[in-house]
Amino acid sequence: MIDEIQALSALKKYGTLALAGVHLRVEASTVWKRIQNLERSYGKSLLEKKGRNAYLTPEAETLLRAAEPHVDALREALDGHENHESQSRPLRVGLSESIALSWGPKLLKNLTEAIPFSSFDLSTHRGSLLVEKLRHGDFDFVVCAGTSMSKSTLIGEKLFNEELLLYEVPEQKKVYCIEESALSFEWLKEDAKTLLSSLQKKYALTPLQSYGAIASLISSGVAGGIVPLGIALRFKLPEKYLSRLQKKLYRPIYLYSKKGFYTSKVGNNIFDACKKISKKGAAYFNNPSSY
């Protein structure tokens, strides 16, 4: 029944059977079959077809409102049972690309020294995708830009604020920045919008998905860009291109897990270690000698 509810929920969120299938990592036909099974069990029509698209009926909306909290609770309980065994298997860790390229390895080294867990399996993605995959059980914990997510089913521990730096390359009319949908900018709100609006008056402002790619362009003198401090240090970006902002920008860095992992022994130890590590602050992780 969990799979059927998840299929209906994914269809509501992503709009099409194909996109719901991509998210759930199954074929679109499987999503459709799961929802049909749910219709038979529920005894009511859950989808209304209009052309090639399918929309949730009012009965489906009512079902999701009632069922999703219980499905989440059951999933958390199952995850909690699994995570009590996590010391005997590699931990599934996700880092955003920019963190993996800069101070992320140092953080993992600190954690493995503080906590005796066997090993870890590492994956890197954009922060928003990491959080989504975490919600669906693909990771034990992830580290990326974000907020406290107080209304979320996730638990977050803030590590520190990482400064964002602007590099302007003389005679180049283009500045690259991370896409505004990225978590790095999502939480900066008006400060980021003000900076981007100001830059658009001078440059062709162009979004990219990768801070590493932006840093490579800056390093080559091809274009300017906005990157986190850790990336600037890792790529040894030329100080002659560094511009002083009227107001400094920071992205908050968080470690997230689901509640089931947080309450497990190893998960609780990791969060305790992160609280201690976070007191060292950004200066510790972004010490140039670490790169």
Side-chain angles (χ1 to χ4, degrees), residues 76-92 115 117 134 139-141 155 255-273:
E76 292 295 341
L78 294 173
D79 287 342
H81 174 75
E82 175 190 354
N83 285 317
H84 279 296
E85 308 299 324
S86 58
Q87 281 181 299
S88 62
R89 61 163 175 80
L91 291 181
R92 300 162 299 170
I115 305 162
F117 57 84
L134 174 64
F139 296 111
D140 292 308
F141 68 88
I155 302 292
L255 180 143
Y256 295 116
S257 83
K258 297 177 76 174
K259 291 178 181 177
F261 180 73
Y262 175 77
T263 56
S264 70
K265 181 178 180 181
V266 66
N268 205 252
N269 287 339
I270 285 175
F271 271 79
D272 285 343

Side-chain angles (χ1 to χ4, degrees), residues 123-161:
S123 296
T124 62
H125 297 284
R126 293 182 60 186
S128 54
L129 183 57
L130 285 176
V131 169
E132 194 63 35
K133 283 179 168 288
L134 174 64
R135 286 197 175 104
H136 286 270
D138 291 352
F139 296 111
D140 292 308
F141 68 88
V142 304
V143 181
C144 59
T147 67
S148 61
M149 294 188 181
S150 58
K151 296 182 180 180
S152 170
T153 58
L154 303 181
I155 302 292
E157 176 68 35
K158 185 176 179 180
L159 298 179
F160 52 81
N161 289 322

Side-chain angles (χ1 to χ4, degrees), residues 102-103 105-106 233-234 236 282-291:
S102 55
W103 49 264
K106 185 173 184 177
L233 293 171
R234 168 62 71 184
K236 296 181 171 61
Y284 170 75
F285 286 103
N286 284 317
N287 185 330
S289 64
S290 301
Y291 294 85

Side-chain angles (χ1 to χ4, degrees), residues 27 36 71 116 119 124 136 141 159 206 252 254:
E27 297 293 330
Q36 285 182 313
V71 171
S119 61
T124 62
H136 286 270
F141 68 88
L159 298 179
T206 306
Y254 275 81

Side-chain angles (χ1 to χ4, degrees), residues 275-286:
K275 289 178 183 178
K276 296 176 182 177
I277 290 171
S278 66
K279 293 179 180 179
K280 298 178 180 179
Y284 170 75
F285 286 103
N286 284 317

Side-chain angles (χ1 to χ4, degrees), residues 37 44 85 142-143 183 198-199 227 265:
N37 291 338
K44 295 180 181 180
E85 308 299 324
V142 304
V143 181
L183 292 180
S198 174
L199 289 175
V227 296
K265 181 178 180 181

